Structure formats: structure tokens, C-alpha cells
Amino acid sequence: MKKILITTPAVIVAMALSSCADAGPNTQRGAATGALIGAGAGAIIGNQSGRALEGAAIGAGSGALIGGAYGNARDQEQRRYYGGY
């Protein structure tokens, strides 16, 4: 059970970030920044319960997804503003 909790977010992040080749710079920057902030916050929160590594993994996964979604929204907004150029 413990391995599933650790590997599931890692697999989700790997699948989500594998499609970043076609993504804009804000998506990539947002995903990387979100993963770093999420890992730090998850490690701090997980440390309170004695599971810093699991907290960091879950935080990195969720942070990458949220940061990537925000960055993608910014990229789409810029594409609409500049007319696709």
C-alpha cells in the first residue's frame, strides 16, 4: 500500500509532463515551479506525521498539476491575445 501511495503521484506527474513538448513556456515553468513548491510544502506537512518523503511526493505531483494547469491557461490567453503568433 505504501508503494502505491508513493508511485501513483510519480506516474501521474510523468504522464502529465510528458506532453509538455507541445506546451508553451508558461505551462512548463508553472509545472516546474508548482512541483518545487509542492514538494517543499508536502515535505514540511508530511514531516509532522513522520512521512516527509510521501508528503513531498504527493506535494510535488499535485503542485506540478496545478502549476501546469495555471501556466497552460496563461499560454492560451497569450495565444488568443496575439492571434496565434
Side-chain angles (χ1 to χ4, degrees), residues 1-28:
M1 183 68 177
K2 209 176 204 184
K3 289 182 181 180
I4 292 173
L5 290 175
I6 293 173
T7 56
T8 301
V11 170
I12 291 171
V13 169
M15 288 173 29
L17 295 179
S18 67
S19 65
C20 284
D22 195 26
N26 290 325
T27 303
Q28 295 172 359

Side-chain angles (χ1 to χ4, degrees), residues 10-81:
V11 170
I12 291 171
V13 169
M15 288 173 29
L17 295 179
S18 67
S19 65
C20 284
D22 195 26
N26 290 325
T27 303
Q28 295 172 359
R29 190 176 314 122
T33 304
L36 288 173
I37 293 171
I44 291 170
I45 294 169
N47 188 37
Q48 300 299 318
S49 63
R51 298 176 178 221
L53 182 61
E54 291 176 19
I58 293 169
S62 58
L65 291 175
I66 292 169
Y70 176 73
N72 186 33
R74 297 282 314 259
D75 284 333
Q76 289 178 0
E77 181 181 317
Q78 287 180 350
R79 284 186 195 115
R80 281 193 303 269
Y81 180 75

